[in-house]
């Protein structure tokens, strides 16, 4: 059974992921397992692929969860899967149907409501610590158009939510999926696939050479996607090697 999470709240930090990583560098890792760093504002919020993560002050959830999972390095994408599934279930508890956009985005009506940035440290063949950074748009009402973003409040008639209670709610779902992942990774794989955007419909993709249409055939344990092209050819890509156009 997973322990409860200890939450540290900071008014401002460069990045909750960086703060968590510096804790892990300082002391014996073990004392920081199941710690959550929650900030109101980040001065250098990090997005995936060296992008930045922008968020108005105290309007959204910005947090990093440190876990010390018993997961082999080969299965590291399991952590992304349970994080995505927890976000999907959290949103469902608000009556919102969201989809996972491979590999790390959560979308509602094709707009991004949450992003995930996971930084693992590996010891031998295993993950020793995983820092799971989550940006979840809660109360922000305006986003620049190019971000194609949305928030819980925008989806719920501009209703305002208490950030700490929303974090607590999310962590309940996360705890549940963390337990499932240790006992039944097959359930995690199948649920993730069900919630993934583009498994039943043909979507437009772009790789280094061309634009093409495909549907998702599989996601492996490393997180690589296998696409089935319209001529039935199968092609496997790692992160950043292929992009969904929408
Ligand atoms: C992405 O979609 O590009 C990933 C975004 C991850 C943003 C979160 S906000 C909290 C945590 N701290 C960071 O610096 N980044 C993550």
């Amino acid at each position: 059974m997973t322990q409860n999470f200890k939450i540290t709240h900071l008014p401002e930090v460069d990045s909750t992921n960086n703060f968590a990583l510096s804790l892990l560098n300082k002391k014996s890792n073990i004392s920081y397992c199941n710690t959550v760093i929650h900030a109101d504002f980040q001065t250098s919020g990090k997005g995936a692929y060296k992008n930045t993560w922008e968020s108005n002050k105290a309007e959204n959830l910005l947090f990093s969860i440190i876990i010390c999972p018993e997961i082999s390095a080969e299965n590291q994408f399991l952590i992304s899967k349970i994080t995505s599934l927890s976000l999907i279930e959290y949103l469902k508890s608000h009556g919102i149907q969201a989809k996972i956009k491979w590999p790390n985005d959560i979308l509602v009506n094709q707009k991004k409501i949450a992003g995930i940035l996971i930084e693992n440290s590996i010891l031998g063949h295993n993950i020793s610590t995983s820092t799971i950074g989550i940006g979840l748009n809660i109360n922000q009402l305006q986003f620049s158009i190019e971000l194609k973003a949305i928030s819980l409040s925008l989806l719920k008639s501009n209703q305002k939510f208490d950030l700490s209670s929303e974090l607590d709610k999310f962590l309940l779902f996360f705890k549940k999926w963390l337990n499932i992942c240790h006992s039944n990774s097959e359930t995690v794989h199948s649920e993730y696939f069900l919630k993934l955007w583009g498994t039943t419909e043909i979507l437009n993709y772009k790789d280094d050479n061309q634009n093409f249409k495909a549907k998702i055939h599989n996601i492996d344990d490393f997180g690589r996607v296998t696409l089935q092209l319209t001529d039935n050819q199968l092609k496997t890509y790692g992160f950043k090697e292929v992009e969904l156009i929408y």
Side-chain angles (χ1 to χ4, degrees):
M1 201 56 186
T2 321
Q3 287 175 357
N4 281 332
F5 292 100
K6 178 179 168 287
I7 302 175
T8 298
H9 179 256
L10 307 167
E12 184 173 309
V13 70
D14 56 345
S15 143
T16 56
N17 266 36
N18 285 352
F19 189 90
L21 293 170
S22 67
L23 288 181
L24 293 174
N25 282 336
K26 238 184 251 165
K27 248 203 188 170
S28 89
N29 288 349
I30 193 115
S31 54
Y32 291 109
C33 301
N34 300 318
T35 299
V36 177
I37 310 298
H38 169 208
D40 291 335
F41 187 65
Q42 298 184 125
T43 51
S44 320
K46 299 192 287 186
Y49 315 123
K50 303 208 160 71
N51 288 327
T52 56
W53 183 261
E54 308 295 336
S55 166
N56 289 353
K57 194 172 214 147
E59 292 191 1
N60 300 316
L61 275 174
L62 305 166
F63 61 103
S64 301
I65 310 171
I66 301 173
I67 55 167
C68 305
E70 277 152 34
I71 293 178
S72 71
E74 291 173 352
N75 284 330
Q76 54 186 286
F77 199 64
L78 256 182
I79 299 171
S80 173
K81 287 180 176 169
I82 59 164
T83 308
S84 294
L85 286 169
S86 310
L87 285 163
I88 295 277
E89 216 175 338
Y90 160 78
L91 290 165
K92 194 168 163 217
S93 74
H94 281 292
I96 291 164
Q97 245 215 331
K99 279 274 175 189
I100 302 164
K101 177 178 156 290
W102 176 85
N104 290 316
D105 296 344
I106 306 298
L107 306 187
V108 179
N109 304 331
Q110 303 193 8
K111 290 189 171 166
K112 184 154 164 172
I113 192 159
I116 303 165
L117 175 68
I118 299 177
E119 299 184 80
N120 291 331
S121 77
I122 312 274
L123 201 64
H125 293 292
N126 295 317
I127 295 173
S128 61
T129 62
S130 181
T131 299
I132 306 163
I134 299 172
L136 174 56
N137 296 334
I138 300 284
N139 289 324
Q140 191 165 327
L141 295 179
Q142 279 174 335
F143 296 91
S144 40
I145 290 181
E146 64 276 10
L147 287 180
K148 288 203 244 169
I150 199 155
S151 65
L152 181 60
S153 187
L154 281 170
L155 291 160
K156 300 295 268 180
S157 319
N158 294 3
Q159 193 187 324
K160 292 286 176 225
F161 295 87
D162 177 73
L163 294 177
S164 297
S165 340
E166 295 310 305
L167 175 59
D168 290 343
K169 268 190 224 166
F170 168 80
L171 289 172
L172 288 179
F173 293 114
F174 183 78
K175 242 168 83 165
K176 178 189 120 178
W177 280 104
L178 189 56
N179 281 325
I180 297 176
C181 128
H182 285 122
S183 60
N184 190 349
S185 59
E186 276 314 307
T187 302
V188 176
H189 291 298
S190 54
E191 279 300 306
Y192 180 85
F193 204 75
L194 275 178
K195 299 294 186 301
L196 197 58
W197 185 29
T199 55
T200 51
E201 59 274 69
I202 293 174
L203 301 175
N204 295 306
Y205 290 87
K206 177 170 103 179
D207 66 13
D208 280 347
N209 304 314
Q210 55 174 341
N211 288 17
F212 58 94
K213 291 181 187 294
K215 130 169 135 168
I216 298 180
H217 177 75
N218 186 40
I219 308 282
D220 70 16
D221 293 341
F222 261 121
R224 288 176 295 228
V225 64
T226 299
L227 296 176
Q228 178 171 25
L229 281 57
T230 41
D231 61 2
N232 282 332
Q233 192 191 160
L234 295 178
K235 278 193 166 183
T236 298
Y237 296 93
F239 306 132
K240 259 301 200 191
E241 291 174 356
V242 69
E243 195 188 327
L244 175 66
I245 318 216
Y246 65 103

mmCIF file of all heavy atoms in Angstrom, residues 13-19 37 39 42 44-55 61-65 104-106 112 114-119 131-136, ligand 1:
data_model
loop_
_atom_site.group_PDB
_atom_site.id
_atom_site.type_symbol
_atom_site.label_atom_id
_atom_site.label_comp_id
_atom_site.label_asym_id
_atom_site.label_seq_id
_atom_site.Cartn_x
_atom_site.Cartn_y
_atom_site.Cartn_z
ATOM 1 N N VAL A 13 8.900 29.419 -6.880
ATOM 2 C CA VAL A 13 10.093 28.590 -7.050
ATOM 3 C C VAL A 13 10.476 28.674 -8.533
ATOM 4 O O VAL A 13 9.646 29.090 -9.353
ATOM 5 C CB VAL A 13 9.771 27.133 -6.600
ATOM 6 C CG1 VAL A 13 8.828 26.434 -7.559
ATOM 7 C CG2 VAL A 13 11.024 26.307 -6.399
ATOM 8 N N ASP A 14 11.717 28.316 -8.873
ATOM 9 C CA ASP A 14 12.046 28.323 -10.310
ATOM 10 C C ASP A 14 11.199 27.274 -11.031
ATOM 11 O O ASP A 14 10.478 27.563 -11.985
ATOM 12 C CB ASP A 14 13.561 28.130 -10.556
ATOM 13 C CG ASP A 14 14.119 26.852 -9.929
ATOM 14 O OD1 ASP A 14 13.448 26.254 -9.079
ATOM 15 O OD2 ASP A 14 15.243 26.457 -10.303
ATOM 16 N N SER A 15 11.280 26.046 -10.533
ATOM 17 C CA SER A 15 10.500 24.956 -11.121
ATOM 18 C C SER A 15 10.319 23.910 -10.018
ATOM 19 O O SER A 15 11.292 23.584 -9.320
ATOM 20 C CB SER A 15 11.278 24.367 -12.306
ATOM 21 O OG SER A 15 11.123 22.975 -12.388
ATOM 22 N N THR A 16 9.120 23.411 -9.841
ATOM 23 C CA THR A 16 8.916 22.406 -8.779
ATOM 24 C C THR A 16 9.734 21.149 -9.076
ATOM 25 O O THR A 16 10.207 20.484 -8.165
ATOM 26 C CB THR A 16 7.423 22.054 -8.607
ATOM 27 O OG1 THR A 16 6.925 21.604 -9.871
ATOM 28 C CG2 THR A 16 6.608 23.229 -8.124
ATOM 29 N N ASN A 17 9.909 20.831 -10.372
ATOM 30 C CA ASN A 17 10.761 19.676 -10.704
ATOM 31 C C ASN A 17 12.198 19.921 -10.261
ATOM 32 O O ASN A 17 12.826 19.059 -9.658
ATOM 33 C CB ASN A 17 10.741 19.392 -12.209
ATOM 34 C CG ASN A 17 9.695 18.361 -12.591
ATOM 35 O OD1 ASN A 17 8.622 18.334 -12.000
ATOM 36 N ND2 ASN A 17 9.988 17.529 -13.572
ATOM 37 N N ASN A 18 12.720 21.124 -10.559
ATOM 38 C CA ASN A 18 14.099 21.425 -10.151
ATOM 39 C C ASN A 18 14.243 21.376 -8.643
ATOM 40 O O ASN A 18 15.229 20.864 -8.116
ATOM 41 C CB ASN A 18 14.518 22.823 -10.638
ATOM 42 C CG ASN A 18 14.792 22.831 -12.126
ATOM 43 O OD1 ASN A 18 14.813 21.780 -12.761
ATOM 44 N ND2 ASN A 18 14.985 24.011 -12.690
ATOM 45 N N PHE A 19 13.248 21.930 -7.933
ATOM 46 C CA PHE A 19 13.293 21.941 -6.472
ATOM 47 C C PHE A 19 13.321 20.497 -5.952
ATOM 48 O O PHE A 19 14.136 20.145 -5.091
ATOM 49 C CB PHE A 19 12.072 22.687 -5.924
ATOM 50 C CG PHE A 19 12.135 22.950 -4.452
ATOM 51 C CD1 PHE A 19 12.703 24.124 -3.966
ATOM 52 C CD2 PHE A 19 11.628 22.031 -3.541
ATOM 53 C CE1 PHE A 19 12.762 24.371 -2.589
ATOM 54 C CE2 PHE A 19 11.680 22.270 -2.169
ATOM 55 C CZ PHE A 19 12.251 23.440 -1.699
ATOM 56 N N ILE A 37 5.895 18.603 -4.066
ATOM 57 C CA ILE A 37 6.256 20.020 -4.029
ATOM 58 C C ILE A 37 5.200 20.765 -4.844
ATOM 59 O O ILE A 37 5.059 20.517 -6.040
ATOM 60 C CB ILE A 37 7.655 20.273 -4.662
ATOM 61 C CG1 ILE A 37 8.707 19.325 -4.082
ATOM 62 C CG2 ILE A 37 8.057 21.738 -4.518
ATOM 63 C CD1 ILE A 37 8.947 19.457 -2.595
ATOM 64 N N ALA A 39 3.703 24.534 -5.895
ATOM 65 C CA ALA A 39 4.034 25.969 -5.921
ATOM 66 C C ALA A 39 2.893 26.782 -6.518
ATOM 67 O O ALA A 39 2.153 26.314 -7.385
ATOM 68 C CB ALA A 39 5.311 26.186 -6.732
ATOM 69 N N GLN A 42 5.886 29.566 -10.809
ATOM 70 C CA GLN A 42 7.224 29.120 -11.205
ATOM 71 C C GLN A 42 7.854 30.199 -12.082
ATOM 72 O O GLN A 42 7.226 30.677 -13.033
ATOM 73 C CB GLN A 42 7.153 27.832 -12.013
ATOM 74 C CG GLN A 42 6.560 26.655 -11.253
ATOM 75 C CD GLN A 42 6.590 25.367 -12.072
ATOM 76 O OE1 GLN A 42 7.115 24.370 -11.620
ATOM 77 N NE2 GLN A 42 6.016 25.387 -13.257
ATOM 78 N N SER A 44 10.711 29.639 -13.795
ATOM 79 C CA SER A 44 11.227 28.942 -14.994
ATOM 80 C C SER A 44 10.600 27.566 -15.107
ATOM 81 O O SER A 44 11.309 26.557 -15.098
ATOM 82 C CB SER A 44 12.736 28.726 -14.939
ATOM 83 O OG SER A 44 13.409 29.802 -14.418
ATOM 84 N N GLY A 45 9.286 27.552 -15.201
ATOM 85 C CA GLY A 45 8.574 26.278 -15.336
ATOM 86 C C GLY A 45 9.049 25.542 -16.581
ATOM 87 O O GLY A 45 9.172 26.143 -17.647
ATOM 88 N N LYS A 46 9.304 24.257 -16.408
ATOM 89 C CA LYS A 46 9.836 23.475 -17.532
ATOM 90 C C LYS A 46 8.728 22.663 -18.197
ATOM 91 O O LYS A 46 7.943 21.995 -17.525
ATOM 92 C CB LYS A 46 10.901 22.489 -17.033
ATOM 93 C CG LYS A 46 12.104 23.132 -16.379
ATOM 94 C CD LYS A 46 13.233 22.116 -16.189
ATOM 95 C CE LYS A 46 12.949 21.120 -15.084
ATOM 96 N NZ LYS A 46 14.070 20.210 -14.787
ATOM 97 N N GLY A 47 8.707 22.701 -19.513
ATOM 98 C CA GLY A 47 7.801 21.837 -20.268
ATOM 99 C C GLY A 47 8.603 20.694 -20.870
ATOM 100 O O GLY A 47 9.817 20.613 -20.682
ATOM 101 N N ALA A 48 7.919 19.842 -21.588
ATOM 102 C CA ALA A 48 8.606 18.733 -22.252
ATOM 103 C C ALA A 48 9.489 19.282 -23.371
ATOM 104 O O ALA A 48 9.237 20.383 -23.892
ATOM 105 C CB ALA A 48 7.571 17.777 -22.822
ATOM 106 N N TYR A 49 10.512 18.532 -23.748
ATOM 107 C CA TYR A 49 11.415 18.876 -24.864
ATOM 108 C C TYR A 49 12.001 20.277 -24.736
ATOM 109 O O TYR A 49 12.026 21.048 -25.691
ATOM 110 C CB TYR A 49 10.696 18.768 -26.214
ATOM 111 C CG TYR A 49 9.874 17.521 -26.370
ATOM 112 C CD1 TYR A 49 8.511 17.599 -26.649
ATOM 113 C CD2 TYR A 49 10.445 16.264 -26.230
ATOM 114 C CE1 TYR A 49 7.743 16.457 -26.800
ATOM 115 C CE2 TYR A 49 9.687 15.114 -26.374
ATOM 116 C CZ TYR A 49 8.339 15.222 -26.656
ATOM 117 O OH TYR A 49 7.587 14.099 -26.785
ATOM 118 N N LYS A 50 12.405 20.627 -23.520
ATOM 119 C CA LYS A 50 13.051 21.918 -23.252
ATOM 120 C C LYS A 50 12.148 23.129 -23.534
ATOM 121 O O LYS A 50 12.613 24.252 -23.691
ATOM 122 C CB LYS A 50 14.371 22.049 -24.030
ATOM 123 C CG LYS A 50 15.350 20.929 -23.729
ATOM 124 C CD LYS A 50 16.792 21.381 -23.912
ATOM 125 C CE LYS A 50 17.777 20.504 -23.181
ATOM 126 N NZ LYS A 50 17.982 19.179 -23.723
ATOM 127 N N ASN A 51 10.851 22.920 -23.616
ATOM 128 C CA ASN A 51 9.923 24.049 -23.715
ATOM 129 C C ASN A 51 9.749 24.655 -22.324
ATOM 130 O O ASN A 51 10.174 24.075 -21.328
ATOM 131 C CB ASN A 51 8.553 23.577 -24.205
ATOM 132 C CG ASN A 51 8.593 23.192 -25.668
ATOM 133 O OD1 ASN A 51 9.340 23.789 -26.443
ATOM 134 N ND2 ASN A 51 7.817 22.195 -26.036
ATOM 135 N N THR A 52 9.103 25.821 -22.274
ATOM 136 C CA THR A 52 8.787 26.377 -20.955
ATOM 137 C C THR A 52 7.316 26.067 -20.633
ATOM 138 O O THR A 52 6.549 25.723 -21.531
ATOM 139 C CB THR A 52 8.989 27.908 -20.925
ATOM 140 O OG1 THR A 52 8.188 28.463 -21.963
ATOM 141 C CG2 THR A 52 10.439 28.271 -21.134
ATOM 142 N N TRP A 53 6.977 26.186 -19.358
ATOM 143 C CA TRP A 53 5.573 25.987 -18.953
ATOM 144 C C TRP A 53 5.110 27.272 -18.287
ATOM 145 O O TRP A 53 5.625 27.667 -17.255
ATOM 146 C CB TRP A 53 5.446 24.803 -18.001
ATOM 147 C CG TRP A 53 4.019 24.511 -17.627
ATOM 148 C CD1 TRP A 53 3.379 24.892 -16.486
ATOM 149 C CD2 TRP A 53 3.064 23.790 -18.409
ATOM 150 N NE1 TRP A 53 2.081 24.446 -16.504
ATOM 151 C CE2 TRP A 53 1.861 23.777 -17.680
ATOM 152 C CE3 TRP A 53 3.095 23.167 -19.666
ATOM 153 C CZ2 TRP A 53 0.707 23.143 -18.146
ATOM 154 C CZ3 TRP A 53 1.940 22.541 -20.122
ATOM 155 C CH2 TRP A 53 0.769 22.531 -19.375
ATOM 156 N N GLU A 54 4.144 27.937 -18.914
ATOM 157 C CA GLU A 54 3.658 29.222 -18.402
ATOM 158 C C GLU A 54 2.349 29.019 -17.651
ATOM 159 O O GLU A 54 1.502 28.254 -18.096
ATOM 160 C CB GLU A 54 3.379 30.197 -19.560
ATOM 161 C CG GLU A 54 4.527 30.394 -20.551
ATOM 162 C CD GLU A 54 5.743 31.051 -19.933
ATOM 163 O OE1 GLU A 54 5.558 31.760 -18.922
ATOM 164 O OE2 GLU A 54 6.865 30.831 -20.436
ATOM 165 N N SER A 55 2.216 29.758 -16.541
ATOM 166 C CA SER A 55 0.965 29.682 -15.795
ATOM 167 C C SER A 55 0.827 30.945 -14.966
ATOM 168 O O SER A 55 1.794 31.385 -14.340
ATOM 169 C CB SER A 55 1.018 28.450 -14.877
ATOM 170 O OG SER A 55 -0.005 28.509 -13.921
ATOM 171 N N LEU A 61 -2.661 24.416 -10.886
ATOM 172 C CA LEU A 61 -1.846 23.501 -10.070
ATOM 173 C C LEU A 61 -0.508 23.263 -10.756
ATOM 174 O O LEU A 61 -0.453 22.872 -11.931
ATOM 175 C CB LEU A 61 -2.582 22.180 -9.864
ATOM 176 C CG LEU A 61 -3.570 22.160 -8.708
ATOM 177 C CD1 LEU A 61 -4.354 20.848 -8.684
ATOM 178 C CD2 LEU A 61 -2.865 22.374 -7.360
ATOM 179 N N LEU A 62 0.563 23.527 -10.002
ATOM 180 C CA LEU A 62 1.935 23.299 -10.467
ATOM 181 C C LEU A 62 2.587 22.465 -9.382
ATOM 182 O O LEU A 62 2.769 22.952 -8.264
ATOM 183 C CB LEU A 62 2.676 24.637 -10.599
ATOM 184 C CG LEU A 62 2.020 25.700 -11.470
ATOM 185 C CD1 LEU A 62 2.660 27.066 -11.234
ATOM 186 C CD2 LEU A 62 2.131 25.321 -12.933
ATOM 187 N N PHE A 63 2.882 21.222 -9.665
ATOM 188 C CA PHE A 63 3.437 20.395 -8.591
ATOM 189 C C PHE A 63 4.282 19.260 -9.148
ATOM 190 O O PHE A 63 4.165 18.887 -10.321
ATOM 191 C CB PHE A 63 2.321 19.849 -7.683
ATOM 192 C CG PHE A 63 1.301 18.968 -8.354
ATOM 193 C CD1 PHE A 63 1.348 17.585 -8.204
ATOM 194 C CD2 PHE A 63 0.288 19.514 -9.125
ATOM 195 C CE1 PHE A 63 0.403 16.762 -8.813
ATOM 196 C CE2 PHE A 63 -0.665 18.708 -9.747
ATOM 197 C CZ PHE A 63 -0.603 17.331 -9.587
ATOM 198 N N SER A 64 5.138 18.737 -8.259
ATOM 199 C CA SER A 64 5.971 17.589 -8.607
ATOM 200 C C SER A 64 5.847 16.561 -7.501
ATOM 201 O O SER A 64 5.933 16.898 -6.318
ATOM 202 C CB SER A 64 7.440 18.000 -8.732
ATOM 203 O OG SER A 64 7.569 18.992 -9.726
ATOM 204 N N ILE A 65 5.645 15.324 -7.918
ATOM 205 C CA ILE A 65 5.535 14.226 -6.951
ATOM 206 C C ILE A 65 6.823 13.412 -7.037
ATOM 207 O O ILE A 65 7.228 13.016 -8.131
ATOM 208 C CB ILE A 65 4.367 13.282 -7.319
ATOM 209 C CG1 ILE A 65 3.078 14.059 -7.575
ATOM 210 C CG2 ILE A 65 4.154 12.227 -6.240
ATOM 211 C CD1 ILE A 65 1.952 13.188 -8.159
ATOM 212 N N ASN A 104 2.561 12.767 -23.510
ATOM 213 C CA ASN A 104 2.471 13.378 -22.167
ATOM 214 C C ASN A 104 1.394 14.434 -21.969
ATOM 215 O O ASN A 104 1.477 15.197 -21.030
ATOM 216 C CB ASN A 104 3.813 14.064 -21.837
ATOM 217 C CG ASN A 104 4.911 13.071 -21.599
ATOM 218 O OD1 ASN A 104 4.711 12.082 -20.914
ATOM 219 N ND2 ASN A 104 6.063 13.324 -22.190
ATOM 220 N N ASP A 105 0.451 14.538 -22.881
ATOM 221 C CA ASP A 105 -0.524 15.622 -22.750
ATOM 222 C C ASP A 105 -1.917 15.082 -22.460
ATOM 223 O O ASP A 105 -2.286 14.021 -22.937
ATOM 224 C CB ASP A 105 -0.620 16.424 -24.065
ATOM 225 C CG ASP A 105 0.669 17.135 -24.405
ATOM 226 O OD1 ASP A 105 1.519 17.272 -23.520
ATOM 227 O OD2 ASP A 105 0.806 17.542 -25.571
ATOM 228 N N ILE A 106 -2.664 15.892 -21.728
ATOM 229 C CA ILE A 106 -4.065 15.547 -21.481
ATOM 230 C C ILE A 106 -4.908 16.628 -22.143
ATOM 231 O O ILE A 106 -4.727 17.828 -21.888
ATOM 232 C CB ILE A 106 -4.372 15.488 -19.956
ATOM 233 C CG1 ILE A 106 -3.401 14.540 -19.232
ATOM 234 C CG2 ILE A 106 -5.815 15.069 -19.717
ATOM 235 C CD1 ILE A 106 -3.443 13.081 -19.673
ATOM 236 N N LYS A 112 -5.313 21.552 -24.545
ATOM 237 C CA LYS A 112 -4.506 20.969 -23.474
ATOM 238 C C LYS A 112 -4.951 21.477 -22.104
ATOM 239 O O LYS A 112 -4.977 22.682 -21.854
ATOM 240 C CB LYS A 112 -3.048 21.333 -23.741
ATOM 241 C CG LYS A 112 -2.071 20.730 -22.782
ATOM 242 C CD LYS A 112 -0.716 20.605 -23.448
ATOM 243 C CE LYS A 112 0.396 20.374 -22.487
ATOM 244 N NZ LYS A 112 1.666 20.079 -23.154
ATOM 245 N N ALA A 114 -3.643 19.624 -19.249
ATOM 246 C CA ALA A 114 -2.540 19.249 -18.354
ATOM 247 C C ALA A 114 -1.356 18.724 -19.145
ATOM 248 O O ALA A 114 -1.511 18.142 -20.218
ATOM 249 C CB ALA A 114 -3.001 18.192 -17.360
ATOM 250 N N GLY A 115 -0.177 18.960 -18.587
ATOM 251 C CA GLY A 115 1.059 18.447 -19.180
ATOM 252 C C GLY A 115 1.883 17.763 -18.095
ATOM 253 O O GLY A 115 1.783 18.111 -16.909
ATOM 254 N N ILE A 116 2.663 16.798 -18.508
ATOM 255 C CA ILE A 116 3.433 15.970 -17.568
ATOM 256 C C ILE A 116 4.904 15.989 -17.982
ATOM 257 O O ILE A 116 5.216 15.818 -19.164
ATOM 258 C CB ILE A 116 2.922 14.508 -17.621
ATOM 259 C CG1 ILE A 116 1.427 14.428 -17.317
ATOM 260 C CG2 ILE A 116 3.722 13.608 -16.679
ATOM 261 C CD1 ILE A 116 0.796 13.089 -17.714
ATOM 262 N N LEU A 117 5.769 16.212 -17.006
ATOM 263 C CA LEU A 117 7.215 16.137 -17.278
ATOM 264 C C LEU A 117 7.852 15.241 -16.218
ATOM 265 O O LEU A 117 7.922 15.609 -15.051
ATOM 266 C CB LEU A 117 7.838 17.536 -17.233
ATOM 267 C CG LEU A 117 9.353 17.571 -17.375
ATOM 268 C CD1 LEU A 117 9.782 17.142 -18.770
ATOM 269 C CD2 LEU A 117 9.885 18.969 -17.084
ATOM 270 N N ILE A 118 8.294 14.069 -16.645
ATOM 271 C CA ILE A 118 8.834 13.087 -15.689
ATOM 272 C C ILE A 118 10.352 13.027 -15.817
ATOM 273 O O ILE A 118 10.883 12.897 -16.925
ATOM 274 C CB ILE A 118 8.218 11.698 -15.952
ATOM 275 C CG1 ILE A 118 6.704 11.777 -15.751
ATOM 276 C CG2 ILE A 118 8.824 10.652 -15.010
ATOM 277 C CD1 ILE A 118 5.953 10.512 -16.040
ATOM 278 N N GLU A 119 11.046 13.144 -14.683
ATOM 279 C CA GLU A 119 12.507 13.045 -14.688
ATOM 280 C C GLU A 119 12.895 11.919 -13.718
ATOM 281 O O GLU A 119 12.677 12.032 -12.514
ATOM 282 C CB GLU A 119 13.125 14.388 -14.297
ATOM 283 C CG GLU A 119 12.715 15.483 -15.299
ATOM 284 C CD GLU A 119 13.360 16.834 -15.048
ATOM 285 O OE1 GLU A 119 14.507 17.021 -15.436
ATOM 286 O OE2 GLU A 119 12.670 17.700 -14.463
ATOM 287 N N THR A 131 10.610 11.856 -10.492
ATOM 288 C CA THR A 131 10.036 13.169 -10.189
ATOM 289 C C THR A 131 9.006 13.459 -11.268
ATOM 290 O O THR A 131 9.349 13.620 -12.440
ATOM 291 C CB THR A 131 11.141 14.232 -10.153
ATOM 292 O OG1 THR A 131 12.063 13.877 -9.118
ATOM 293 C CG2 THR A 131 10.586 15.625 -9.888
ATOM 294 N N ILE A 132 7.755 13.482 -10.847
ATOM 295 C CA ILE A 132 6.659 13.617 -11.810
ATOM 296 C C ILE A 132 6.101 15.027 -11.724
ATOM 297 O O ILE A 132 5.422 15.384 -10.759
ATOM 298 C CB ILE A 132 5.542 12.600 -11.479
ATOM 299 C CG1 ILE A 132 6.120 11.186 -11.411
ATOM 300 C CG2 ILE A 132 4.404 12.694 -12.485
ATOM 301 C CD1 ILE A 132 5.212 10.202 -10.693
ATOM 302 N N GLY A 133 6.424 15.847 -12.691
ATOM 303 C CA GLY A 133 5.955 17.237 -12.692
ATOM 304 C C GLY A 133 4.649 17.342 -13.455
ATOM 305 O O GLY A 133 4.525 16.829 -14.574
ATOM 306 N N ILE A 134 3.699 18.009 -12.843
ATOM 307 C CA ILE A 134 2.378 18.140 -13.474
ATOM 308 C C ILE A 134 1.936 19.596 -13.461
ATOM 309 O O ILE A 134 1.988 20.270 -12.424
ATOM 310 C CB ILE A 134 1.328 17.273 -12.740
ATOM 311 C CG1 ILE A 134 1.746 15.798 -12.806
ATOM 312 C CG2 ILE A 134 -0.067 17.466 -13.349
ATOM 313 C CD1 ILE A 134 0.911 14.871 -11.959
ATOM 314 N N GLY A 135 1.539 20.076 -14.602
ATOM 315 C CA GLY A 135 0.901 21.388 -14.701
ATOM 316 C C GLY A 135 -0.537 21.116 -15.082
ATOM 317 O O GLY A 135 -0.802 20.535 -16.151
ATOM 318 N N LEU A 136 -1.466 21.499 -14.206
ATOM 319 C CA LEU A 136 -2.887 21.201 -14.448
ATOM 320 C C LEU A 136 -3.646 22.530 -14.392
ATOM 321 O O LEU A 136 -3.662 23.200 -13.356
ATOM 322 C CB LEU A 136 -3.358 20.213 -13.361
ATOM 323 C CG LEU A 136 -4.823 19.830 -13.271
ATOM 324 C CD1 LEU A 136 -5.364 19.266 -14.577
ATOM 325 C CD2 LEU A 136 -5.033 18.793 -12.147
HETATM 326 C C1 LIG B 1 4.528 19.682 -21.023
HETATM 327 O O1 LIG B 1 3.398 19.428 -21.390
HETATM 328 O O2 LIG B 1 5.313 20.285 -21.763
HETATM 329 C C2 LIG B 1 4.962 19.300 -19.635
HETATM 330 C C3 LIG B 1 4.627 20.394 -18.676
HETATM 331 C C4 LIG B 1 4.991 20.111 -17.234
HETATM 332 C C5 LIG B 1 4.804 21.334 -16.375
HETATM 333 C C6 LIG B 1 4.936 21.037 -14.924
HETATM 334 S S1 LIG B 1 4.467 22.394 -13.906
HETATM 335 C C7 LIG B 1 5.093 21.607 -12.496
HETATM 336 C C8 LIG B 1 6.360 20.908 -12.911
HETATM 337 N N1 LIG B 1 7.498 21.799 -12.782
HETATM 338 C C9 LIG B 1 8.022 22.130 -13.956
HETATM 339 O O3 LIG B 1 8.979 22.915 -14.119
HETATM 340 N N2 LIG B 1 7.367 21.514 -14.942
HETATM 341 C C10 LIG B 1 6.314 20.664 -14.428
#
